[in-house]
mmCIF file of all heavy atoms in Angstrom:
data_model
loop_
_atom_site.group_PDB
_atom_site.id
_atom_site.type_symbol
_atom_site.label_atom_id
_atom_site.label_comp_id
_atom_site.label_asym_id
_atom_site.label_seq_id
_atom_site.Cartn_x
_atom_site.Cartn_y
_atom_site.Cartn_z
ATOM 1 N N PHE A 1109 -3.739 -6.430 -11.749
ATOM 2 C CA PHE A 1109 -3.237 -6.688 -10.405
ATOM 3 C C PHE A 1109 -1.723 -6.445 -10.445
ATOM 4 O O PHE A 1109 -1.051 -6.777 -11.395
ATOM 5 C CB PHE A 1109 -3.525 -8.112 -9.946
ATOM 6 C CG PHE A 1109 -3.058 -8.420 -8.544
ATOM 7 C CD1 PHE A 1109 -3.792 -8.029 -7.447
ATOM 8 C CD2 PHE A 1109 -1.870 -9.143 -8.345
ATOM 9 C CE1 PHE A 1109 -3.385 -8.317 -6.148
ATOM 10 C CE2 PHE A 1109 -1.409 -9.408 -7.046
ATOM 11 C CZ PHE A 1109 -2.209 -9.007 -5.966
ATOM 12 N N GLN A 1110 -1.201 -5.915 -9.357
ATOM 13 C CA GLN A 1110 0.271 -5.770 -9.261
ATOM 14 C C GLN A 1110 0.666 -5.940 -7.824
ATOM 15 O O GLN A 1110 -0.082 -5.710 -6.878
ATOM 16 C CB GLN A 1110 0.737 -4.432 -9.816
ATOM 17 C CG GLN A 1110 0.204 -3.180 -9.110
ATOM 18 C CD GLN A 1110 0.684 -1.898 -9.795
ATOM 19 O OE1 GLN A 1110 0.880 -1.892 -10.984
ATOM 20 N NE2 GLN A 1110 0.829 -0.906 -9.006
ATOM 21 N N LEU A 1111 1.912 -6.415 -7.687
ATOM 22 C CA LEU A 1111 2.474 -6.692 -6.404
ATOM 23 C C LEU A 1111 3.933 -6.251 -6.357
ATOM 24 O O LEU A 1111 4.715 -6.628 -7.218
ATOM 25 C CB LEU A 1111 2.396 -8.245 -6.128
ATOM 26 C CG LEU A 1111 2.915 -8.773 -4.804
ATOM 27 C CD1 LEU A 1111 2.049 -8.275 -3.639
ATOM 28 C CD2 LEU A 1111 2.929 -10.288 -4.851
ATOM 29 N N GLU A 1112 4.253 -5.457 -5.359
ATOM 30 C CA GLU A 1112 5.645 -4.971 -5.244
ATOM 31 C C GLU A 1112 6.450 -5.937 -4.343
ATOM 32 O O GLU A 1112 5.905 -6.398 -3.358
ATOM 33 C CB GLU A 1112 5.657 -3.585 -4.621
ATOM 34 C CG GLU A 1112 7.025 -2.896 -4.684
ATOM 35 C CD GLU A 1112 7.006 -1.467 -4.251
ATOM 36 O OE1 GLU A 1112 6.045 -0.726 -4.617
ATOM 37 O OE2 GLU A 1112 7.930 -1.076 -3.509
ATOM 38 N N MET A 1113 7.675 -6.191 -4.740
ATOM 39 C CA MET A 1113 8.544 -7.133 -3.993
ATOM 40 C C MET A 1113 9.966 -6.588 -4.008
ATOM 41 O O MET A 1113 10.285 -5.648 -4.705
ATOM 42 C CB MET A 1113 8.502 -8.518 -4.613
ATOM 43 C CG MET A 1113 7.182 -9.252 -4.461
ATOM 44 S SD MET A 1113 7.228 -10.908 -5.200
ATOM 45 C CE MET A 1113 6.346 -10.583 -6.747
ATOM 46 N N LYS A 1114 10.852 -7.295 -3.323
ATOM 47 C CA LYS A 1114 12.256 -6.903 -3.231
ATOM 48 C C LYS A 1114 13.126 -8.167 -3.417
ATOM 49 O O LYS A 1114 12.817 -9.237 -2.828
ATOM 50 C CB LYS A 1114 12.557 -6.267 -1.856
ATOM 51 C CG LYS A 1114 13.969 -5.841 -1.740
ATOM 52 C CD LYS A 1114 14.188 -5.160 -0.370
ATOM 53 C CE LYS A 1114 15.662 -4.775 -0.174
ATOM 54 N NZ LYS A 1114 15.867 -4.183 1.156
ATOM 55 N N VAL A 1115 14.197 -8.070 -4.182
ATOM 56 C CA VAL A 1115 15.119 -9.199 -4.401
ATOM 57 C C VAL A 1115 15.890 -9.470 -3.109
ATOM 58 O O VAL A 1115 16.420 -8.553 -2.509
ATOM 59 C CB VAL A 1115 16.085 -8.893 -5.566
ATOM 60 C CG1 VAL A 1115 17.128 -10.010 -5.714
ATOM 61 C CG2 VAL A 1115 15.346 -8.652 -6.859
ATOM 62 N N ARG A 1116 15.931 -10.778 -2.768
ATOM 63 C CA ARG A 1116 16.703 -11.173 -1.604
ATOM 64 C C ARG A 1116 18.076 -11.756 -2.082
ATOM 65 O O ARG A 1116 18.156 -12.339 -3.155
ATOM 66 C CB ARG A 1116 15.926 -12.228 -0.815
ATOM 67 C CG ARG A 1116 14.641 -11.567 -0.235
ATOM 68 C CD ARG A 1116 13.610 -12.591 0.157
ATOM 69 N NE ARG A 1116 13.062 -13.203 -1.054
ATOM 70 C CZ ARG A 1116 11.869 -13.815 -1.109
ATOM 71 N NH1 ARG A 1116 11.126 -13.868 -0.033
ATOM 72 N NH2 ARG A 1116 11.444 -14.338 -2.249
ATOM 73 N N ASP A 1117 19.098 -11.587 -1.252
ATOM 74 C CA ASP A 1117 20.454 -12.020 -1.612
ATOM 75 C C ASP A 1117 20.540 -13.426 -2.146
ATOM 76 O O ASP A 1117 21.185 -13.740 -3.159
ATOM 77 C CB ASP A 1117 21.393 -11.881 -0.419
ATOM 78 C CG ASP A 1117 21.640 -10.450 0.007
ATOM 79 O OD1 ASP A 1117 21.442 -9.531 -0.836
ATOM 80 O OD2 ASP A 1117 22.008 -10.250 1.162
ATOM 81 N N TYR A 1118 19.861 -14.352 -1.484
ATOM 82 C CA TYR A 1118 19.963 -15.773 -1.872
ATOM 83 C C TYR A 1118 19.287 -16.097 -3.160
ATOM 84 O O TYR A 1118 19.438 -17.193 -3.679
ATOM 85 C CB TYR A 1118 19.390 -16.666 -0.736
ATOM 86 C CG TYR A 1118 17.894 -16.571 -0.471
ATOM 87 C CD1 TYR A 1118 17.024 -17.324 -1.261
ATOM 88 C CD2 TYR A 1118 17.440 -15.746 0.487
ATOM 89 C CE1 TYR A 1118 15.651 -17.206 -1.026
ATOM 90 C CE2 TYR A 1118 16.061 -15.651 0.725
ATOM 91 C CZ TYR A 1118 15.181 -16.363 -0.018
ATOM 92 O OH TYR A 1118 13.827 -16.298 0.166
ATOM 93 N N GLU A 1119 18.593 -15.153 -3.772
ATOM 94 C CA GLU A 1119 17.977 -15.417 -5.091
ATOM 95 C C GLU A 1119 18.901 -15.082 -6.251
ATOM 96 O O GLU A 1119 18.592 -15.330 -7.405
ATOM 97 C CB GLU A 1119 16.722 -14.478 -5.227
ATOM 98 C CG GLU A 1119 15.655 -14.882 -4.221
ATOM 99 C CD GLU A 1119 14.542 -13.867 -4.089
ATOM 100 O OE1 GLU A 1119 14.733 -12.674 -4.384
ATOM 101 O OE2 GLU A 1119 13.395 -14.267 -3.743
ATOM 102 N N CYS A 1120 20.109 -14.634 -5.928
ATOM 103 C CA CYS A 1120 21.114 -14.212 -6.959
ATOM 104 C C CYS A 1120 22.148 -15.328 -7.139
ATOM 105 O O CYS A 1120 22.466 -16.101 -6.232
ATOM 106 C CB CYS A 1120 21.748 -12.952 -6.580
ATOM 107 S SG CYS A 1120 20.596 -11.554 -6.400
ATOM 108 N N ASP A 1121 22.666 -15.371 -8.352
ATOM 109 C CA ASP A 1121 23.690 -16.366 -8.701
ATOM 110 C C ASP A 1121 25.063 -15.735 -8.581
ATOM 111 O O ASP A 1121 25.167 -14.622 -8.093
ATOM 112 C CB ASP A 1121 23.446 -16.913 -10.133
ATOM 113 C CG ASP A 1121 23.439 -15.843 -11.197
ATOM 114 O OD1 ASP A 1121 24.039 -14.746 -10.981
ATOM 115 O OD2 ASP A 1121 22.872 -16.088 -12.296
ATOM 116 N N LEU A 1122 26.089 -16.451 -9.032
ATOM 117 C CA LEU A 1122 27.477 -15.973 -8.854
ATOM 118 C C LEU A 1122 27.722 -14.682 -9.685
ATOM 119 O O LEU A 1122 28.676 -13.953 -9.328
ATOM 120 C CB LEU A 1122 28.477 -17.032 -9.368
ATOM 121 C CG LEU A 1122 28.549 -18.282 -8.485
ATOM 122 C CD1 LEU A 1122 29.455 -19.312 -9.153
ATOM 123 C CD2 LEU A 1122 29.099 -17.882 -7.146
ATOM 124 N N GLN A 1123 26.906 -14.402 -10.642
ATOM 125 C CA GLN A 1123 27.057 -13.147 -11.405
ATOM 126 C C GLN A 1123 26.455 -11.956 -10.690
ATOM 127 O O GLN A 1123 26.577 -10.861 -11.176
ATOM 128 C CB GLN A 1123 26.389 -13.274 -12.803
ATOM 129 C CG GLN A 1123 26.988 -14.435 -13.672
ATOM 130 C CD GLN A 1123 26.117 -14.679 -14.828
ATOM 131 O OE1 GLN A 1123 24.903 -14.928 -14.745
ATOM 132 N NE2 GLN A 1123 26.703 -14.651 -16.032
ATOM 133 N N GLY A 1124 25.770 -12.200 -9.575
ATOM 134 C CA GLY A 1124 25.166 -11.132 -8.825
ATOM 135 C C GLY A 1124 23.839 -10.678 -9.324
ATOM 136 O O GLY A 1124 23.346 -9.634 -8.934
ATOM 137 N N ILE A 1125 23.249 -11.506 -10.173
ATOM 138 C CA ILE A 1125 21.938 -11.176 -10.699
ATOM 139 C C ILE A 1125 20.961 -12.307 -10.296
ATOM 140 O O ILE A 1125 21.367 -13.395 -9.979
ATOM 141 C CB ILE A 1125 21.934 -10.997 -12.270
ATOM 142 C CG1 ILE A 1125 22.420 -12.277 -12.968
ATOM 143 C CG2 ILE A 1125 22.780 -9.799 -12.634
ATOM 144 C CD1 ILE A 1125 22.373 -12.231 -14.487
ATOM 145 N N VAL A 1126 19.674 -11.993 -10.364
ATOM 146 C CA VAL A 1126 18.638 -12.998 -10.006
ATOM 147 C C VAL A 1126 18.758 -14.183 -10.931
ATOM 148 O O VAL A 1126 18.766 -14.021 -12.160
ATOM 149 C CB VAL A 1126 17.234 -12.353 -10.054
ATOM 150 C CG1 VAL A 1126 16.125 -13.426 -9.896
ATOM 151 C CG2 VAL A 1126 17.068 -11.312 -8.972
ATOM 152 N N ASN A 1127 18.826 -15.358 -10.349
ATOM 153 C CA ASN A 1127 18.839 -16.586 -11.107
ATOM 154 C C ASN A 1127 17.537 -16.719 -11.858
ATOM 155 O O ASN A 1127 16.475 -16.396 -11.377
ATOM 156 C CB ASN A 1127 19.015 -17.771 -10.194
ATOM 157 C CG ASN A 1127 19.055 -19.112 -10.908
ATOM 158 O OD1 ASN A 1127 17.978 -19.615 -11.233
ATOM 159 N ND2 ASN A 1127 20.249 -19.599 -11.166
ATOM 160 N N ASN A 1128 17.654 -17.120 -13.111
ATOM 161 C CA ASN A 1128 16.492 -17.151 -14.000
ATOM 162 C C ASN A 1128 15.322 -17.917 -13.397
ATOM 163 O O ASN A 1128 14.137 -17.494 -13.605
ATOM 164 C CB ASN A 1128 16.847 -17.722 -15.394
ATOM 165 C CG ASN A 1128 17.221 -19.209 -15.311
ATOM 166 O OD1 ASN A 1128 16.331 -20.090 -15.315
ATOM 167 N ND2 ASN A 1128 18.522 -19.525 -15.245
ATOM 168 N N ALA A 1129 15.491 -19.013 -12.676
ATOM 169 C CA ALA A 1129 14.405 -19.778 -12.119
ATOM 170 C C ALA A 1129 13.615 -19.005 -11.056
ATOM 171 O O ALA A 1129 12.417 -19.240 -10.899
ATOM 172 C CB ALA A 1129 14.954 -21.101 -11.518
ATOM 173 N N ASN A 1130 14.257 -18.079 -10.402
ATOM 174 C CA ASN A 1130 13.543 -17.293 -9.367
ATOM 175 C C ASN A 1130 12.440 -16.391 -9.929
ATOM 176 O O ASN A 1130 11.486 -16.072 -9.239
ATOM 177 C CB ASN A 1130 14.523 -16.504 -8.518
ATOM 178 C CG ASN A 1130 15.277 -17.413 -7.550
ATOM 179 O OD1 ASN A 1130 14.642 -18.165 -6.857
ATOM 180 N ND2 ASN A 1130 16.558 -17.316 -7.537
ATOM 181 N N TYR A 1131 12.579 -16.007 -11.203
ATOM 182 C CA TYR A 1131 11.509 -15.198 -11.800
ATOM 183 C C TYR A 1131 10.186 -15.993 -11.792
ATOM 184 O O TYR A 1131 9.106 -15.382 -11.676
ATOM 185 C CB TYR A 1131 11.904 -14.759 -13.207
ATOM 186 C CG TYR A 1131 12.940 -13.731 -13.211
ATOM 187 C CD1 TYR A 1131 14.290 -14.049 -13.380
ATOM 188 C CD2 TYR A 1131 12.683 -12.354 -12.970
ATOM 189 C CE1 TYR A 1131 15.303 -13.100 -13.395
ATOM 190 C CE2 TYR A 1131 13.645 -11.424 -12.958
ATOM 191 C CZ TYR A 1131 14.966 -11.765 -13.158
ATOM 192 O OH TYR A 1131 15.967 -10.787 -13.175
ATOM 193 N N GLN A 1132 10.240 -17.309 -11.970
ATOM 194 C CA GLN A 1132 9.048 -18.116 -11.913
ATOM 195 C C GLN A 1132 8.393 -18.106 -10.508
ATOM 196 O O GLN A 1132 7.180 -18.083 -10.421
ATOM 197 C CB GLN A 1132 9.313 -19.536 -12.362
ATOM 198 C CG GLN A 1132 9.520 -19.610 -13.886
ATOM 199 C CD GLN A 1132 9.272 -20.959 -14.430
ATOM 200 O OE1 GLN A 1132 8.248 -21.599 -14.182
ATOM 201 N NE2 GLN A 1132 10.257 -21.479 -15.196
ATOM 202 N N HIS A 1133 9.253 -18.033 -9.518
ATOM 203 C CA HIS A 1133 8.728 -17.882 -8.118
ATOM 204 C C HIS A 1133 7.967 -16.508 -8.014
ATOM 205 O O HIS A 1133 6.909 -16.497 -7.398
ATOM 206 C CB HIS A 1133 9.829 -17.960 -7.079
ATOM 207 C CG HIS A 1133 10.467 -19.311 -7.019
ATOM 208 N ND1 HIS A 1133 9.905 -20.384 -6.424
ATOM 209 C CD2 HIS A 1133 11.676 -19.741 -7.500
ATOM 210 C CE1 HIS A 1133 10.686 -21.423 -6.488
ATOM 211 N NE2 HIS A 1133 11.772 -21.085 -7.145
ATOM 212 N N TYR A 1134 8.579 -15.462 -8.516
ATOM 213 C CA TYR A 1134 7.922 -14.152 -8.410
ATOM 214 C C TYR A 1134 6.569 -14.186 -9.166
ATOM 215 O O TYR A 1134 5.572 -13.641 -8.663
ATOM 216 C CB TYR A 1134 8.808 -13.052 -9.058
ATOM 217 C CG TYR A 1134 10.185 -12.896 -8.440
ATOM 218 C CD1 TYR A 1134 11.196 -12.404 -9.242
ATOM 219 C CD2 TYR A 1134 10.407 -13.168 -7.070
ATOM 220 C CE1 TYR A 1134 12.446 -12.201 -8.704
ATOM 221 C CE2 TYR A 1134 11.725 -12.965 -6.591
ATOM 222 C CZ TYR A 1134 12.745 -12.480 -7.390
ATOM 223 O OH TYR A 1134 13.985 -12.269 -6.850
ATOM 224 N N LEU A 1135 6.574 -14.777 -10.329
ATOM 225 C CA LEU A 1135 5.324 -14.868 -11.105
ATOM 226 C C LEU A 1135 4.273 -15.643 -10.384
ATOM 227 O O LEU A 1135 3.099 -15.260 -10.294
ATOM 228 C CB LEU A 1135 5.605 -15.481 -12.471
ATOM 229 C CG LEU A 1135 6.554 -14.698 -13.414
ATOM 230 C CD1 LEU A 1135 6.860 -15.564 -14.684
ATOM 231 C CD2 LEU A 1135 6.008 -13.365 -13.779
ATOM 232 N N GLU A 1136 4.690 -16.811 -9.839
ATOM 233 C CA GLU A 1136 3.726 -17.634 -9.101
ATOM 234 C C GLU A 1136 3.178 -16.932 -7.841
ATOM 235 O O GLU A 1136 1.949 -16.973 -7.596
ATOM 236 C CB GLU A 1136 4.392 -18.973 -8.681
ATOM 237 C CG GLU A 1136 3.455 -19.910 -7.959
ATOM 238 C CD GLU A 1136 4.110 -21.205 -7.613
ATOM 239 O OE1 GLU A 1136 5.308 -21.279 -7.329
ATOM 240 O OE2 GLU A 1136 3.392 -22.229 -7.637
ATOM 241 N N HIS A 1137 4.078 -16.285 -7.120
ATOM 242 C CA HIS A 1137 3.625 -15.569 -5.934
ATOM 243 C C HIS A 1137 2.578 -14.478 -6.284
ATOM 244 O O HIS A 1137 1.602 -14.314 -5.582
ATOM 245 C CB HIS A 1137 4.823 -14.937 -5.201
ATOM 246 C CG HIS A 1137 4.500 -14.302 -3.907
ATOM 247 N ND1 HIS A 1137 3.926 -14.951 -2.856
ATOM 248 C CD2 HIS A 1137 4.583 -13.014 -3.513
ATOM 249 C CE1 HIS A 1137 3.706 -14.136 -1.850
ATOM 250 N NE2 HIS A 1137 4.086 -12.899 -2.208
#
Side-chain angles (χ1 to χ4, degrees):
F1109 183 80
Q1110 62 183 30
L1111 181 65
E1112 191 173 318
M1113 293 181 257
K1114 182 179 177 182
V1115 174
R1116 296 161 289 203
D1117 293 338
Y1118 66 84
E1119 297 168 331
C1120 299
D1121 58 23
L1122 291 173
Q1123 298 168 309
I1125 60 176
V1126 170
N1127 179 278
N1128 67 83
N1130 284 311
Y1131 289 97
Q1132 287 201 52
H1133 293 284
Y1134 301 152
L1135 298 172
E1136 180 177 36
H1137 185 61

